Each structure stands twice: as C-alpha cells, then as structure tokens.
C-alpha cells in the first residue's frame, strides 16, 4: 500500500496508520515512504473495536474514551505527532505515546495472546470426540459462547497479526502453558487454597478494569440493538 | 445441606437442585435423602447466569430461552420429572434430560474448561514481568477485558466445580494444551493456511451459536443499564 500511494502523496505529507502490530508495519512503510522524500511517519494504533471488521461495523462512539497509542520514531517531528494526536482526540480518543517495540509487547499480552487462546479453545471444544456438535452449541450459554464471540473475529487480520508479532506471541504462549499446567496440578492434588487464591486475585483484576473504565458499555449497547430483532422471534423454535 | 433439611421434609417430597456438577452432588444428596425414606430426587442444572453470583444479581429474564438440564436416575418417577420440568418451564426455560455423567462431560467442555482458561490467562497476563500492571489494565480494551469479566466470577463456586468434576476437567486441559501447542507450531513455521483455516472454522461456530439463539442479549442489556451511570462521569479523569 505504501508503494502504491506514494505517487499521489504531497512532499512533506504526514503518514500514519492504524495497524495492530507496529514494528513490522512501520518497517514496511519506511521502505517506500521515508524522510529522504520529505515524508513524516507517525505510527498509530487505536485500541478499540469489536469482533466485527470493516467500515460497515463502525459506530459513532467506537473510539470514545478508548486509548490510541502513537509510536513515533526519531524522524517523527513534534508538529506531526501533535497533528496526529489532535486527529484522534477529535474522535474522542485518549492518546498515549510509546516505542513501537514496547507497543508490540504490551499488545501481545492484552490482545494477541487472549485472542489466540480464544481461537484455540473454540477449536478444541468443537473437535472433542464423543460430543455432539449440536450439544456444544445448544449449551454454549454455559460460557463457551463468550469465546465464540471473540473467535468470530476476522481470520485474515488475526493470521497476519500472529505472524508479524511472532516472537513475542510465541514467548507468551509458553508462559501461558506453564501457568495452565500449574493450575492443572492444583486441581489434580486438590490444592483448593491455591485455586481460591488465584480466583480471588483475578476478581480483583476485573475490578481494576472496571475502575479504569475500559469495560465495554458501547459495545454492549450495539449488540443490544442488533439483538432486539432477534428477541422478537419466538425463542422456542 | 441435604442432611440439615431432612427433618423438615415431607415424606414423598420431590428433591431437586441447581448445581453445576451433577454426579458428585447427586451422590452426596442421596447419602442423606433416598428412596427408602420416600424421597424422589431429580437433579437439575439451569444453564444460565452471568459472572455475578447471589440472589441480588438475578433479573426477570435470566432464564428466558435458556436450557435447563435435568438428570433423573432410575428412582426418579415420571411424575416427579414432569413436575420439575413444569417448574422450569414456568421460568421460560427450555428443558432437556440426560444422564448425570453425560451432563458433567458436556459442561466440562462448554463451561468448566473455558472458565479455567479465562482464570489462567488473566493470571498469566497480570504476572508477566517487564509489564506494568497499570498498562495492562489501561489497554485491556484490546481483548483482555473480556477474559477479566469471565475471571471475575465467584471463586468459591468455581473452585468447587473444578474439584468435583476433576477427571473430566483434567482430561480436557490436556486436549487443550495439545491443540494450543499445535497452533504455536503453526505460528513458528509460518503455516498461514492452517491458521486461516482454523480461524475460518471458529467463525462458522460463532454463527452456529447465534443461530441457536444462545448468545446473550439479556446479559448485555443488564450490563448496559449498570454502565449508564458510569458513562455520565467524565471519561478523561
């Protein structure tokens, strides 16, 4: 894309993007649009969205109160950073700045690993032998449905995220498996105190998320509107 | 509880429960309340709820269109089964019947394993060294927050579920780890087609859940009401 748009850009234009992985995409962009041609690049990532991709799934309050992370480098001018910041602030976003490498590390933890786990568990549960697919779907209100929502996200986008933030994602998978095996051991040996302590701790983390106002009222609202049609249909079909 | 309530029960009373694990709880109940005393036991599990426990978190439409699973045994009379079925139908539930052992197997897949994974990943992400806790919370809209919601569930209830449905849960953890390691390998070796195929498949499973009307409009609605207060506060504090 950087290569394709180059002939149409003004000298001195500010280039920004909205990609989920910053080191890889900025390296690629800078191959074609660099400071020798007068371009100023300021990487950006608005951390907001739902499991639905594409412009038709946007809504007015999508960015409201969410964080946009800018990842300027040594060639990003203060003026360009200020302008990109202002653009996102006009969309009601909160703007933060960090190194591209740090961004990719933080996102691997709060976004890429959770997403991969959701894909993985939906695959596992759907493939279990001795279970009927229709039973799994029928009783999905037991918890499974929450993971299917996440695992309903755009396959192309997520394939590319995992492959372009590979090293950090691979490291985090190892950490996760290590912790899961420890938990498995707690269950096997009836270490109920350890289970209880972890579950208490995660409950506290949930409270932190709510206090930081990063829970998803807008998203819920949208789903509600979509589902309003559905609930008018007889549920007992 | 079965022992404690026994003196207050009429001869011939129908006993039912709402526990999430049926083999263990029915065995325990039958130690104290059995057919020799004239009691008729019909195990039950209404598959509905949110991450919030306790009567104060109930709401009128909690059970509407959700499935209740009854697990009668050879001593449950047809009359008793019919009466318990009717009770749940009065709450707008759909009622299904299966063996207690099969119930525990299905629930391990659609509920217990997903819940354990949510607890585990929230613990892993919160403990990563080299990450600041406040960053993890701040950018939790990237996906992590969905897992914190699930991992905010009642610690006591979930500890007991894992310990009383232990064997099936342990087996499923092994299956999950096996699949996750395969996925890790796909990422390491850039097997993009395999990643894409899995993600396409999970997207289809999501569609099945929505078509089966087991997604959560009522829950979303409730969260929305709760969050209405929150959104009136300035988000930029």
């Amino acid at each position: 894309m950087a290569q394709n748009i180059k002939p149409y850009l003004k000298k001195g234009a500010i280039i920004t993007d909205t990609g989920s992985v910053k080191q890889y995409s900025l390296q690629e962009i800078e191959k074609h649009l660099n400071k020798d041609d007068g371009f100023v690049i300021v990487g950006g990532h608005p951390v907001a969205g739902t499991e639905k991709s594409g412009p038709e799934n946007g809504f007015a309050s999508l960015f409201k109160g969410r964080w946009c992370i800018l990842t300027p480098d040594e060639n990003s001018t203060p003026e360009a950073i200020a302008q990109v910041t202002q653009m996102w602030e006009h969309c009601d976003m909160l703007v933060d700045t960090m190194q591209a490498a740090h961004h990719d590390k933080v996102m691997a933890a709060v976004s890429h690993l959770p997403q991969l786990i959701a894909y993985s568990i939906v695959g596992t549960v759907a493939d279990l032998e001795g279970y009927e697919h229709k039973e799994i779907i029928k009783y999905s209100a037991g918890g499974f449905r929450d993971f299917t929502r996440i695992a309903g996200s755009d396959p192309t986008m997520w394939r590319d995220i995992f492959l372009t933030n590979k090293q950090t994602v691979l490291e985090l998978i190892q950490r996760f498996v290590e912790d899961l095996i420890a938990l498995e051991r707690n269950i096997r040996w009836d270490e109920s105190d350890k289970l209880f302590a972890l579950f208490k701790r995660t409950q506290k983390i949930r409270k932190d998320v709510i206090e930081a106002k990063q829970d998803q009222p807008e998203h819920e609202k949208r789903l509600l509107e979509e589902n309003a049609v559905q609930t008018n249909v007889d549920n007992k079909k």
Side-chain angles (χ1 to χ4, degrees), chain A residues 145-212:
Chain A
R145 66 173 175 202
D146 296 321
F147 292 81
T148 65
R149 184 176 67 71
I150 302 166
S153 302
D154 186 36
T156 308
M157 182 182 87
W158 280 104
R159 177 198 60 196
D160 293 348
I161 289 175
F162 297 131
L163 296 178
T164 55
N165 199 19
K166 187 194 284 195
Q167 287 314 320
T168 314
V169 169
L170 291 177
E171 272 169 43
L172 292 191
I173 295 173
Q174 278 308 310
R175 284 295 297 265
F176 173 75
V177 170
E178 201 176 303
D179 292 345
L180 181 59
I181 299 292
L183 199 50
E184 185 185 19
R185 203 166 186 275
N186 295 153
I187 295 173
R188 193 180 301 280
W189 298 103
D190 285 316
E191 295 171 337
S192 59
D193 290 358
K194 286 185 186 164
L195 293 177
F196 190 79
L198 170 66
F199 304 166
K200 262 289 180 199
R201 205 153 60 82
T202 59
Q203 206 172 36
K204 168 69 175 62
I205 293 164
R206 174 60 181 167
K207 280 185 197 131
D208 294 343
V209 168
I210 291 171
E211 279 165 21

Side-chain angles (χ1 to χ4, degrees), chain A residues 5 25 31-32 40 48 51 57 68 75 83-84 101 105 111 129 133 145 151 156 169 172 187 192 196 210-211 216 218:
Chain A
I5 63 173
S25 60
K31 279 183 193 167
H32 305 284
V40 185
E51 72 279 13
N57 290 303
C68 182
N75 299 319
Q83 225 169 318
V84 177
K105 212 179 140 193
S111 177
E129 69 287 346
H133 182 69
R145 66 173 175 202
T156 308
V169 169
L172 292 191
I187 295 173
S192 59
F196 190 79
I210 291 171
E211 279 165 21
Q216 43 184 356
E218 296 304 335

Side-chain angles (χ1 to χ4, degrees), chain A residues 61-235:
Chain A
S61 56
L62 175 61
F63 295 131
K64 193 175 157 58
R66 300 280 172 257
W67 288 93
C68 182
I69 301 175
L70 301 185
T71 58
D73 62 21
E74 62 285 4
N75 299 319
S76 315
T77 62
E79 294 73 24
I81 298 171
Q83 225 169 318
V84 177
T85 299
Q86 210 176 37
M87 179 185 78
W88 288 114
E89 284 178 348
H90 279 310
C91 301
D92 284 332
M93 290 204 96
L94 307 165
V95 179
D96 214 347
T97 296
M98 61 176 76
Q99 297 278 324
H102 188 66
H103 167 278
D104 291 354
K105 212 179 140 193
V106 170
M107 283 301 128
V110 300
S111 177
H112 310 169
L113 179 66
Q115 182 70 36
L116 190 76
I117 298 303
Y119 277 129
S120 191
I121 196 171
V122 171
T124 298
V125 171
D127 285 348
L128 289 170
E129 69 287 346
Y131 289 76
E132 283 188 51
H133 182 69
K134 74 170 198 286
E135 271 186 327
I136 296 295
I137 300 300
K138 194 168 169 183
Y139 306 117
S140 60
F144 185 57
R145 66 173 175 202
D146 296 321
F147 292 81
T148 65
R149 184 176 67 71
I150 302 166
S153 302
D154 186 36
T156 308
M157 182 182 87
W158 280 104
R159 177 198 60 196
D160 293 348
I161 289 175
F162 297 131
L163 296 178
T164 55
N165 199 19
K166 187 194 284 195
Q167 287 314 320
T168 314
V169 169
L170 291 177
E171 272 169 43
L172 292 191
I173 295 173
Q174 278 308 310
R175 284 295 297 265
F176 173 75
V177 170
E178 201 176 303
D179 292 345
L180 181 59
I181 299 292
L183 199 50
E184 185 185 19
R185 203 166 186 275
N186 295 153
I187 295 173
R188 193 180 301 280
W189 298 103
D190 285 316
E191 295 171 337
S192 59
D193 290 358
K194 286 185 186 164
L195 293 177
F196 190 79
L198 170 66
F199 304 166
K200 262 289 180 199
R201 205 153 60 82
T202 59
Q203 206 172 36
K204 168 69 175 62
I205 293 164
R206 174 60 181 167
K207 280 185 197 131
D208 294 343
V209 168
I210 291 171
E211 279 165 21
K213 301 188 194 308
Q214 292 306 309
D215 199 26
Q216 43 184 356
E218 296 304 335
H219 176 211
E220 313 282 89
K221 189 173 174 178
R222 231 179 114 244
L223 278 179
L224 175 65
E225 287 159 5
E226 283 170 22
N227 281 313
V229 184
Q230 208 177 68
T231 46
N232 287 333
V233 181
D234 179 14
N235 235 326

